[in-house]
Amino acid sequence: MDLYQVYFDLRPGVRDTTLVEGLERYLGHLREQGLIAGWRLTRAKLGFGLKGHGDWMLTIEVRDLAQLEAAFQQVAGRRDPVEGLHFGVNSLVANPVFALYRDFPDSVRHRGEERF
């Protein structure tokens, strides 16, 4: 599994529930289309977030880079309905920082040993 992560803050005046509703519509659409495996939204607790990376972390799960590329192609095409859904979320966030992680050991490096 590959994990596409976005760290960010909310723009001033944006309600946290508005963000959640927008993400449910946008990422729910991508999941229904088979373009992502799942997603999760988390928020720094008690100020224990990564300094300079915002209070929020969005993790989007994809099977592999091919699925991620398919999702990017769909979003980059800027066609509705995904364009409106993407803009609806993108307009709510400030200072995004992006990262890409993978499970380790992955299927290539995992040789039957027990995972922790």
Side-chain angles (χ1 to χ4, degrees), residues 1-20:
M1 190 71 54
D2 289 328
L3 306 171
Y4 181 71
Q5 294 186 295
V6 186
Y7 303 89
F8 60 92
D9 288 308
L10 289 180
R11 290 189 185 269
V14 172
R15 295 178 46 155
D16 51 6
T17 55
T18 303
L19 171 69
V20 172

Side-chain angles (χ1 to χ4, degrees), residues 47-63:
F48 287 111
L50 293 172
K51 298 297 180 211
H53 285 78
D55 285 340
W56 297 87
M57 180 178 69
L58 171 64
T59 302
I60 300 172
E61 299 175 342
V62 293
R63 287 185 310 274

